[in-house]
């Protein structure tokens, strides 16, 4: 699933949708569009590092109609066909602020996207958007601007989903080139014991060559491969398994989507035959520029070593499920969620005590902006778990986005790391000593903790209203395996027959 920037996910959750959307820009019929690329830096905020600038090359389509200039592709992840319109005057092209790009549906709500700019050395919210003025080089056609580009949540003031800095738009020439190696970022296979009949492959198909020169996306495609031992075979997307393709495919154009099983730009492919017979699955880019065909190296994703998290049942401390509206959280401007004295939580008779970190940063509740859920961020101190009278603790599962390798215990065993750490033993009280991270760079980011008990009759603790049936769905309403990562809807049928649906993030 595509990573969503700090501002985008925060605004998608926080914004109120408009009752009526304005009109989008429509390019004239028959307008000749040429391939260009935005060469810029995306501007994001990361808790441990502050503002981070990441080099990016993004495909654009540009058309000239007299003094009118049309560009699509600024919002590539969500509205890649949306146009903005500018007016040329000599060697300047002015794109007015506040142009409406369209809207995105999230959890049934519609959120608007706008285009604009802001002249600054630092991203600031709620300042007036400015027009974006590009200077065009008459010889090369390259367009440059000092204005930061905002893909924005409001029409007139800065409320950014995505920010681009140091912007130039260059024409992409038709030349032979070797494409950069793409990546498979995540795979979930089909579980034969589940009623869910499909899996997913998530990818990042890069739109530049090995020297970071932009490629013409109309000449870029990708192929999938499977490997069993030394036997490597092309992966075939079969027409008889996919409702919206007419013939078998072993190569997929970058711009192709069937709007169902194959996502635009290779963001994801869903499949209906298990991958369980293979060791690896790979992806390779193909580029046919300059009347030559060149291929990237194959990126291999090891299916056998993909992380597997043990699903524990027991007393659950779910920090992701905390309500962001009512739970005090810390931020770069607030210490409301800082833990400055011992804080005790209880679940099904189990006590969990969080101590202060003993330094800076403080242990605290923090909103993870890419997922928009609360996490418990730990920078030192201890976590203490106490079993109810007559019981002992058998296992503790620490489900996390980051686990400090210096966390340790003096009793029992602590194994695992990022994703899930597991304590095993038999004790009435368990103390986990938390490693410090050198200014927070090695902190522990907990999503939830599950404690499994041994009771006198040998029965593990579970919810008072156990779920008799649990199913998971993605944001498009498609049922997915329980192991799927990302933003999901968990639907539970409780023992009393009632249904419970909650949003979860893995």
């Amino acid at each position: 699933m595509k990573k969503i920037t700090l501002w985008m996910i925060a605004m998608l959750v926080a914004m109120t949708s408009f009752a009526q959307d304005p009109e989008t820009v429509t390019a004239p019929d028959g307008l000749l569009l040429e391939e260009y690329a935005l060469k810029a830096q995306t501007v994001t905020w990361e808790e441990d590092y502050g503002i981070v600038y990441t080099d990016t090359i993004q495909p654009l389509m540009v058309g000239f109609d007299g003094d009118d200039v049309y560009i699509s592709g600024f919002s590539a992840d969500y509205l890649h066909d949306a146009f903005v319109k500018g007016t040329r005057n000599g060697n300047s092209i002015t794109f007015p602020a506040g142009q409406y790009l369209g809207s995105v549906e999230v959890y049934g709500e519609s959120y608007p996207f706008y285009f604009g700019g802001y002249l600054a050395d630092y991203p600031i919210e709620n300042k007036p958007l400015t027009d974006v003025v590009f200077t065009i080089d008459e010889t090369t056609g390259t367009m440059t601007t000092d204005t930061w580009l905002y893909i924005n949540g409001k029409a007139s003031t800065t409320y950014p989903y995505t920010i681009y800095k140091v912007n130039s738009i260059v024409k992409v020439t038709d030349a032979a080139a070797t494409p950069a190696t793409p990546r498979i970022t995540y795979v979930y296979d089909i579980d034969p014991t589940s009623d869910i009949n499909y899996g997913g492959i998530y990818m990042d198909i890069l739109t530049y060559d090995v020297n970071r020169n932009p490629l013409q996306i109309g000449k870029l495609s990708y192929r999938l491969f499977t490997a069993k031992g030394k036997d490597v075979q092309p992966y075939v997307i079969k027409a008889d398994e996919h409702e919206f393709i007419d013939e078998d495919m072993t190569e997929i154009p970058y711009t192709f989507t069937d709007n169902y099983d194959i996502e635009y730009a290779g963001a994801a492919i869903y499949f209906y035959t298990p991958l369980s017979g293979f060791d690896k699955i790979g992806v390779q880019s193909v580029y046919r520029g300059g009347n030559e065909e060149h291929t990237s190296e194959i990126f291999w994703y090891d299916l056998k070593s993909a992380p597997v998290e043990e699903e524990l049942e027991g007393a659950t401390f779910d920090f992701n499920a905390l309500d962001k509206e009512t739970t005090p959280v810390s931020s770069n401007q607030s210490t409301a969620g800082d833990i400055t004295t011992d804080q005790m939580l209880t679940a099904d008779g189990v006590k969990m005590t969080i101590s202060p970190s003993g330094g800076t940063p403080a242990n605290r509740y923090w909103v993870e902006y890419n997922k928009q859920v609360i996490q418990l961020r730990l920078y030192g101190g201890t976590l203490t778990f106490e079993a109810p009278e007559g019981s002992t603790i058998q296992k503790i599962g620490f489900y996390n986005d980051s686990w400090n390798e210096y966390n340790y215990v003096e009793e029992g065993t602590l194994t695992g790391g990022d994703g899930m750490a597991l304590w095993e033993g038999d004790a009435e009280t368990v103390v986990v000593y938390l490693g410090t991270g050198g200014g927070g760079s090695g902190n522990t980011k907990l999503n939830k903790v599950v404690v499994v008990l041994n009771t006198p009759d040998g029965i593990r603790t579970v919810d008072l209203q156990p779920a008799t049936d649990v199913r998971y769905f993605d944001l498009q309403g498609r049922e997915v395996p329980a192991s799927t990562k990302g933003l999901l809807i968990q639907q539970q049928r409780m023992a009393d027959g009632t249904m419970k649906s909650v949003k979860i993030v893995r």
Side-chain angles (χ1 to χ4, degrees):
M1 297 180 182
K2 285 193 174 288
K3 183 178 179 181
I4 302 177
T5 62
L6 157 68
W7 293 282
M8 174 174 287
I9 191 65
M11 297 312 112
L12 286 182
V13 172
M15 287 181 54
T16 302
S17 59
F18 283 66
Q20 184 174 358
D21 291 333
E23 291 186 2
T24 57
V25 173
T26 302
D29 291 339
L31 180 67
L32 176 63
L33 295 174
E34 298 180 275
E35 294 199 37
Y36 281 70
L38 173 67
K39 300 181 73 171
Q41 295 176 316
T42 54
V43 184
T44 55
W45 173 270
E46 295 186 11
E47 176 196 350
D48 295 330
Y49 305 104
I51 295 178
V52 175
Y53 302 95
T54 304
D55 290 340
T56 187
I57 295 175
Q58 185 164 307
L60 301 176
M61 300 300 293
V62 180
F64 294 87
D65 184 27
D67 291 332
D68 294 331
V69 182
Y70 296 84
I71 300 180
S72 67
F74 283 119
S75 182
D77 288 347
Y78 295 90
L79 300 164
H80 61 270
D81 287 332
F83 279 95
V84 295
K85 179 182 177 181
T87 301
R88 180 170 181 172
N89 184 7
N91 67 344
S92 294
I93 305 173
T94 300
F95 293 86
Q99 296 187 60
Y100 177 62
L101 298 174
S103 62
V104 172
E105 298 291 325
V106 179
Y107 296 130
E109 295 290 336
S110 180
Y111 299 94
F113 279 51
Y114 294 89
F115 173 86
Y118 186 66
L119 284 167
D121 294 322
Y122 190 91
I124 303 174
E125 293 182 7
N126 297 318
K127 296 294 183 181
L129 278 180
T130 62
D131 296 345
V132 179
V133 180
F134 282 94
T135 300
I136 186 168
D137 185 299
E138 300 287 355
T139 303
T140 64
T142 298
M143 302 173 237
T144 57
T145 182
D146 293 328
T147 304
W148 290 20
L149 305 183
Y150 275 55
I151 307 304
N152 208 54
K154 293 183 179 179
S156 58
T157 57
T158 56
Y159 213 63
Y161 299 151
T162 307
I163 299 176
Y164 299 108
K165 177 183 182 290
V166 188
N167 300 288
S168 64
I169 297 175
V170 299
K171 190 170 183 179
V172 184
T173 58
D174 179 17
T178 300
T181 304
R183 293 186 287 265
I184 294 175
T185 57
Y186 180 64
V187 176
Y188 69 82
D189 201 359
I190 300 169
D191 182 354
T193 66
S194 170
D195 292 334
I196 302 168
N197 68 336
Y198 64 90
I201 305 166
Y202 297 90
M203 294 170 289
D204 186 7
I205 309 299
L206 305 178
T207 60
Y208 48 83
D209 68 13
V210 292
N211 296 314
R212 292 193 64 83
N213 297 311
L215 301 175
Q216 292 187 334
I217 58 172
K219 299 182 179 181
L220 179 66
S221 57
Y222 58 97
R223 300 167 178 157
L224 293 171
F225 297 87
T226 55
K228 178 69 174 177
K230 295 182 179 180
D231 181 25
V232 176
Q233 297 292 332
Y235 182 84
V236 181
I237 301 174
K238 298 178 180 179
D240 59 4
E241 293 183 355
H242 297 266
E243 183 177 357
F244 300 106
I245 62 173
D246 298 325
E247 57 184 23
D248 292 354
M249 300 180 72
T250 56
E251 184 173 322
I252 305 97
Y254 177 88
T255 58
F256 176 81
T257 177
D258 66 354
N259 296 310
Y260 190 70
D261 287 329
I262 304 174
E263 294 189 5
Y264 179 83
I269 289 180
Y270 301 99
F271 56 90
Y272 299 88
T273 299
L275 299 173
S276 53
F278 303 110
D279 298 325
K280 298 184 292 185
I281 188 164
V283 63
Q284 177 187 58
S285 288
V286 182
Y287 189 62
R288 295 184 176 88
N291 295 317
E292 297 180 12
E293 178 179 312
H294 293 266
T295 58
S296 72
E297 295 182 1
I298 299 176
F299 176 94
W300 289 106
Y301 183 95
D302 192 341
L303 296 167
K304 301 302 182 183
S305 65
V308 177
E309 296 179 2
E310 183 177 356
E311 292 293 335
L312 301 179
E313 290 185 351
T316 301
F317 302 86
D318 191 345
F319 305 107
N320 286 176
L322 296 174
D323 187 345
K324 298 190 297 298
E325 300 300 322
T326 59
T327 304
V329 295
S330 297
S331 68
N332 296 310
Q333 292 79 36
S334 173
T335 59
D338 284 9
I339 297 171
T340 56
T341 60
D342 284 357
Q343 183 178 105
M344 187 178 71
L345 308 175
T346 61
D348 293 338
V350 176
K351 296 178 182 178
M352 172 182 174
T353 302
I354 310 163
S355 79
S357 68
T360 302
N363 291 339
R364 56 197 176 183
Y365 295 99
W366 186 278
V367 175
E368 207 293 318
Y369 289 105
N370 283 326
K371 300 176 180 177
Q372 265 305 290
V373 293
I374 293 175
Q375 287 181 331
L376 177 61
R377 300 287 180 93
L378 301 168
Y379 300 86
T382 59
L383 296 178
T384 302
F385 299 88
E386 300 173 69
E389 185 176 355
S391 300
T392 58
I393 300 172
Q394 178 189 29
K395 293 183 179 182
I396 307 175
F398 300 90
Y399 298 83
N400 66 82
D401 280 354
S402 177
W403 183 257
N404 190 306
E405 63 179 330
Y406 296 108
N407 297 342
Y408 71 96
V409 294
E410 293 181 340
E411 183 175 356
T413 60
L414 185 62
T415 58
D418 290 350
M420 181 186 178
L422 180 66
W423 179 90
E424 294 181 281
D426 188 60
E428 294 180 355
T429 301
V430 177
V431 180
V432 179
Y433 297 88
L434 301 165
T436 58
S441 61
N443 62 331
T444 294
K445 303 175 182 179
L446 285 183
N447 297 314
K448 71 176 180 179
V449 177
V450 178
V451 181
V452 179
L453 298 179
N454 278 331
T455 61
D457 57 7
I459 300 174
R460 292 179 176 180
T461 59
V462 295
D463 284 337
L464 296 178
Q465 285 287 345
T468 61
D469 179 48
V470 182
R471 303 168 70 189
Y472 298 88
F473 300 86
D474 62 20
L475 300 187
Q476 287 72 46
R478 301 162 58 117
E479 189 168 1
V480 297
S483 60
T484 304
K485 295 184 180 295
L487 295 165
L488 303 175
I489 304 296
Q490 176 181 277
Q491 185 183 85
Q492 297 173 292
R493 184 181 299 278
M494 311 307 288
D496 61 2
T498 60
M499 297 295 293
K500 179 181 178 183
S501 295
V502 294
K503 301 171 188 174
I504 65 170
V505 179
R506 290 201 174 115

